Amino acid sequence: MKNFKRGIFICLMIFLFLPIQGEKNEERIKGFTSEGSREERQIEAALKKLADPKVYERHLRFLTEEPHIAGSKRNYDLALYVRDKFKEFGLEQVELVEYQVPLSFPKEIIVEMVEPFVFKATLREEGYAVDKDSFDSQVSIGFNAYSISGEVTAPVVYAHGGNPEDYDRLLEMGIDIKGKIALVRYSEPYSYRGFKAMTAQQRGAAGLLIYSDPRDDGYMRGDVFPDGPWGPESHIQRGGIPFDFIFPGDPLTPGWASIPGAKRLKPEESETLPKIMSVPLSHKEARPLLENLAGPAVPPQWQGGLPFTYHVGPGPAKVHLKLDMDNSIGSIWNVVGMIRGREEPEKWVVNGNHRDAWVYGAVDPSSGTAALLGLAQNLGQLVKDGYRPKRSIVFCNWDAEENTLTGSTEWAEHYADKLKKDGVAYINVDSAASGPFFGAAAVPSLGDFMLQITREVLDPYTGKTIYEVMEQLRRGRKQKEETGLIETRVGSGSDHTAFMNFVCMPVIGMGFDGPYGVYHSQYDDFYWMSHFGDPQFCYHATMATLWGMTALRLANAQIYPFDYEAYAREIGSYVKEILSQGGKPVSPDLDLLVGRIESFQKTARELNTRIERLLVQGNTISSGILQAVNGALMQIERDFGFPGGIPKRPWYKHLIYACKFTYHPEVLPGVTEAVEEKDWTRAKEQISLLDKAVGRAERTLQEVLTKVPENQSGE
Ligand SMILES: [Zn+2]
């Protein structure tokens, strides 16, 4: 799973080839002294030399040889493969970590139109002669994980994206979804399928069918597989529908790890397990249903890409839906290993990617798994050559991400105390490469840190830096500079969630994007990758280099490169957004909060200035000062957490970021939701909590300020 933004790709390609002057960057690395920067760049030069695209092609071929869904024998075998590779590459403390969690497989699914004529969906995708993998009998039928079992026959209603406003619109047209089967589109507008399931359930639908419209990821976007990267008519987007925006991970163990013998909720007590039947469809098999809907024609924006006017129904299409799901408990395996740090081995820079795939998962997640293996191999090679980072670098290969972000969440819950104390940052790579366009999201303290790295890595095709390519694309889009090249609003949809929202660690996520219409279908396979996504495997290799530099810089920095002045600026802008978007009734409280944030920003600016002086001053920084400053810098993200979490979602501890139910990022979630619901008492409480959190953060910085000399004559 991956919370992706689809851009306008093809037409932007031309901007990549406009001339721009290449630059050689000799500035000090954020968080390093000049001497430290020189040493760091030396080791990074050695790392860059290890980039060999052929390695990634071999890994990807092996990883995508067979379907490997969580809980399958093949995915366990791949865990052993990753474990053995980690050992071969020289990682230490390599182990499999098992958790026992509810998995989800279809035993039988029937989607059958019984009126006005009989049509039975196969729920299968067609084979193409050029691609052997498209014929494999092991490929599962299309299904939505954690759908309930049941049986119903009911008329169909087309409900656009299946979001609340769509059902409201239907009501205005006189159509109530209650007791009917909702047929909805996957990605127009994009929202997480679990939210579609929750909405259909709340509105009383008898069942949910989610299909991929050709307008969204098929022939209306471009050539389809096997001639192009977009989804062919029979492609099916599988995917989980649990409500993991309430809490991710095992639906039966919110906030604690599913180690063997752990206490569990009963399934009916879980807030995240759906109570509705749901099945995904291709547009080939949704078409007969859509073609047999009468009633009013759809509003213009609801019209999809099939060649007839869509109607909302209900009926005459009537569907018999029957599901027999196996949602019982089974084992999953994370693979964890590390390179122990030479000076502060207890401090962990954690890196993760998931291994489980709905089918072959060439992009999602195997491109990321190949990049993780490359990262381990490259950093392992540096260790074999006699090098060792200052802090420990931890490598994690998660299981069951596609289910409920399960493996990473259980591990983060399992090691929460250790991570709260010693987790420097978490770096996530889910899908590493589906095209040439770099994208990254990070907490605001790490935005400029990431940008600096992109200025020092070359795009493999154009010879420009990754940064220059991003800049040209931004100018092509006429996007304002302020929106930033690194996304600093962090939502959910991948394995960074538990680290950000439960542990309150700084997080980074990154990947290369491109036209990609086969997400979660059987066509996300080796053929697709080697023809469309990254045929030369250069972006896989580039991702491993970017990832390696990111991990090494965090592991080696003299002073953590966390910029809290930038963070404060972001928080301040979020408060102003709330003020302008309905927050007027609590404006006195918000004004006070703005004042608090400005004060925090001022303190952070002062600390930044003093840190810069220390770093310019170089090797004479005392270890006592380094320890105090680094301790404080690590504490701030924790200060933004609140043990009681946000209202109605106590698992989500972070007060600055959470995800909306759609998975989109939500900033200042406690305040934002209270304002949206016009609950002014709660809004004031939430503003006060936020005020305290920012106050805590400021005190942390003030305390350390007293220990850092104001001028260069320090120690
Ligand atoms: Zn994924």
Side-chain angles (χ1 to χ4, degrees):
M1 173 159 37
K2 193 185 160 208
N3 188 12
F4 52 84
K5 297 168 292 174
R6 292 221 170 92
I8 308 157
F9 298 113
I10 309 290
C11 59
L12 295 175
M13 274 301 283
I14 53 167
F15 289 99
L16 296 183
F17 298 100
L18 297 175
I20 187 168
Q21 216 178 342
E23 54 176 318
K24 186 115 180 84
N25 210 314
E26 294 302 344
E27 67 181 347
R28 230 165 10 81
I29 299 174
K30 288 190 187 305
F32 289 75
T33 60
S34 302
E35 177 59 26
S37 299
R38 265 194 299 280
E39 280 170 25
E40 176 67 18
R41 285 209 174 89
Q42 266 172 17
I43 199 71
E44 289 174 5
L47 175 79
K48 284 175 181 171
K49 281 199 191 116
L50 296 172
D52 175 8
K54 282 274 167 289
V55 167
Y56 300 88
E57 181 172 2
R58 279 197 297 276
H59 283 316
L60 197 83
R61 196 179 278 282
F62 187 80
L63 292 165
T64 59
E65 202 51 64
E66 289 176 37
H68 52 285
I69 189 171
S72 65
K73 176 170 184 311
R74 178 63 181 175
N75 204 39
Y76 176 69
D77 290 344
L78 287 182
L80 301 181
Y81 172 77
V82 171
R83 179 195 65 184
D84 294 346
K85 287 287 166 196
F86 276 4
K87 285 184 177 167
E88 181 190 321
F89 298 151
L91 302 197
E92 293 133 4
Q93 291 172 254
V94 177
E95 58 172 359
L96 291 191
V97 186
E98 179 184 353
Y99 298 104
Q100 291 171 353
V101 301
L103 295 167
S104 188
F105 305 101
K107 285 195 279 194
E108 186 190 23
I109 300 182
I110 296 172
V111 179
E112 184 179 30
M113 185 167 77
V114 292
E115 284 179 26
F117 55 87
V118 174
F119 160 76
K120 192 172 174 187
T122 64
L123 306 176
R124 297 222 171 256
E125 298 162 293
E126 285 157 23
Y128 296 99
V130 292
D131 179 15
K132 72 168 176 65
D133 290 334
S134 64
F135 292 96
D136 195 324
S137 61
Q138 291 184 64
V139 173
S140 78
I141 55 170
F143 73 103
N144 284 137
Y146 304 102
S147 166
I148 59 164
S149 300
E151 184 167 13
V152 73
T153 300
V156 175
V157 168
Y158 171 63
H160 188 222
N163 294 310
E165 58 274 22
D166 298 320
Y167 293 108
D168 291 344
R169 188 77 192 262
L170 283 170
L171 281 173
E172 284 165 22
M173 289 186 247
I175 296 155
D176 189 348
I177 199 66
K178 211 164 277 162
K180 316 207 174 48
I181 291 173
L183 175 62
V184 310
R185 268 156 79 173
Y186 252 116
S187 34
E188 171 36 44
Y190 172 78
S191 69
Y192 166 54
R193 66 186 89 70
F195 179 56
K196 296 176 195 284
M198 174 186 254
T199 309
Q201 176 180 317
Q202 285 170 343
R203 300 287 176 135
L208 177 66
L209 300 170
I210 317 177
Y211 83 101
S212 304
D213 195 280
R215 186 168 214 158
D216 305 332
D217 61 3
Y219 57 73
M220 299 279 284
R221 303 296 300 273
D223 285 332
V224 301
F225 189 91
D227 304 314
W230 294 101
E233 61 173 4
S234 73
H235 85 284
I236 303 171
Q237 183 190 134
R238 292 154 185 79
I241 55 162
F243 308 157
D244 55 13
F245 39 79
I246 298 175
F247 65 85
D250 184 337
L252 309 180
T253 64
W256 65 93
S258 298
I259 49 179
K263 74 168 168 144
R264 288 174 191 289
L265 305 177
K266 296 193 191 86
E268 58 273 23
E269 292 169 342
S270 174
E271 281 184 283
T272 65
L273 286 172
K275 296 182 174 66
I276 189 168
M277 288 185 279
S278 179
V279 185
L281 291 178
S282 65
H283 68 77
K284 185 181 184 195
E285 301 205 307
R287 179 172 178 160
L289 279 53
L290 275 166
E291 273 178 325
N292 287 286
L293 291 180
V298 297
Q301 67 274 27
W302 290 26
Q303 175 68 38
L306 292 168
F308 51 85
T309 300
Y310 292 18
H311 290 254
V312 291
K318 191 182 256 190
V319 161
H320 170 222
L321 192 59
K322 184 180 178 207
L323 283 95
D324 186 6
M325 300 291 295
D326 176 2
N327 292 347
S328 58
I329 289 172
S331 290
I332 60 169
W333 290 274
N334 295 334
V335 190
V336 180
M338 69 164 70
I339 291 174
R340 284 178 63 79
R342 64 172 196 273
E343 284 176 30
E344 298 175 59
E346 75 286 358
K347 291 283 180 277
W348 286 2
V349 175
V350 186
N351 302 275
N353 144 270
H354 72 96
R355 181 181 68 255
D356 62 300
W358 285 115
V359 191
Y360 303 103
V363 171
D364 181 9
S366 305
S367 62
T369 312
L372 177 72
L373 288 167
L375 177 79
Q377 184 164 14
N378 296 344
L379 297 185
Q381 187 59 48
L382 299 180
V383 173
K384 286 176 183 174
D385 294 341
Y387 168 80
R388 197 167 274 282
K390 196 154 111 186
R391 306 182 183 94
S392 293
I393 298 179
V394 180
F395 302 75
C396 304
N397 181 228
W398 310 120
D399 203 348
E401 186 270 358
E402 296 291 3
N403 296 56
T404 61
L405 314 177
T406 323
S408 59
T409 302
E410 296 312 310
W411 192 81
E413 290 172 345
H414 196 173
Y415 293 96
D417 290 342
K418 167 71 184 167
L419 292 166
K420 275 178 200 155
K421 188 160 157 273
D422 288 324
V424 176
Y426 174 73
I427 309 164
N428 194 58
V429 176
D430 183 319
S431 301
S434 62
F437 304 110
F438 181 73
V443 287
S445 53
L446 285 169
D448 280 351
F449 166 80
M450 281 312 299
L451 272 188
Q452 190 181 30
I453 291 173
T454 64
R455 284 194 208 99
E456 297 182 44
V457 176
L458 295 181
D459 175 82
Y461 284 112
T462 61
K464 303 182 203 317
T465 66
I466 302 288
Y467 175 84
E468 288 164 341
V469 173
M470 289 197 294
E471 253 303 286
Q472 285 189 332
L473 289 172
R474 181 187 65 75
R475 273 183 255 139
R477 278 193 296 259
K478 298 199 166 54
Q479 190 182 328
K480 282 199 207 120
E481 201 141 9
E482 308 89 76
T483 54
L485 295 172
I486 306 293
E487 178 58 72
T488 46
R489 295 174 190 236
V490 185
S492 183
S494 194
D495 289 310
H496 60 278
T497 306
F499 296 91
M500 163 106 241
N501 299 102
F502 188 75
V503 179
C504 300
M505 274 168 70
V507 299
I508 297 169
M510 54 185 162
F512 285 96
D513 270 337
Y516 173 47
V518 298
Y519 171 69
H520 288 186
S521 80
Q522 73 164 18
Y523 307 113
D524 182 0
D525 65 3
F526 190 83
Y527 184 94
W528 190 94
M529 182 62 82
S530 56
H531 286 77
F532 312 113
D534 187 17
Q536 307 298 323
F537 293 86
C538 295
Y539 288 100
H540 284 72
T542 305
M543 178 49 64
T545 300
L546 284 160
W547 197 351
M549 287 171 64
T550 308
L552 281 173
R553 288 184 179 194
L554 289 166
N556 289 330
Q558 271 95 10
I559 295 182
Y560 292 127
F562 303 153
D563 179 353
Y564 287 107
E565 189 194 351
Y567 210 138
R569 213 167 33 237
E570 282 278 316
I571 302 174
S573 72
Y574 303 157
V575 176
K576 281 169 197 150
E577 272 170 34
I578 291 177
L579 260 168
S580 68
Q581 294 166 8
K584 278 270 150 52
V586 281
S587 55
D589 303 69
L590 287 171
D591 288 341
L592 282 177
L593 179 59
V594 168
R596 171 80 68 190
I597 294 164
E598 279 166 358
S599 169
F600 169 58
Q601 186 174 346
K602 212 174 125 216
T603 310
R605 189 184 309 132
E606 177 60 26
L607 184 63
N608 278 357
T609 309
R610 293 195 198 178
I611 286 173
E612 280 309 293
R613 280 195 203 127
L614 279 175
L615 290 171
V616 168
Q617 181 184 323
N619 291 335
T620 51
I621 314 172
S622 83
S623 64
I625 289 183
L626 283 180
Q627 221 173 20
V629 172
N630 281 332
L633 289 173
M634 245 182 77
Q635 180 57 36
I636 303 295
E637 198 78 48
R638 277 78 170 167
D639 285 339
F640 292 150
F642 174 61
I646 59 178
K648 299 180 230 174
R649 294 191 280 170
W651 186 93
Y652 282 84
K653 313 288 185 202
H654 206 285
L655 297 181
I656 314 293
Y657 296 104
C659 59
K660 292 184 200 285
F661 284 18
T662 56
Y663 269 178
H664 287 294
E666 179 168 80
V667 296
L668 314 186
V671 183
T672 298
E673 288 174 16
V675 168
E676 277 170 6
E677 291 166 32
K678 299 193 174 21
D679 183 339
W680 307 117
T681 312
R682 175 147 61 90
K684 281 169 186 279
E685 283 163 15
Q686 290 299 310
I687 293 167
S688 156
L689 274 182
L690 203 51
D691 188 77
K692 286 190 185 117
V694 177
R696 276 197 298 279
E698 189 182 6
R699 272 195 305 283
T700 303
L701 292 189
Q702 275 165 346
E703 225 168 277
V704 78
L705 260 187
T706 61
K707 296 176 190 159
V708 185
E710 250 175 281
N711 55 49
Q712 295 182 34
S713 65
E715 294 179 60

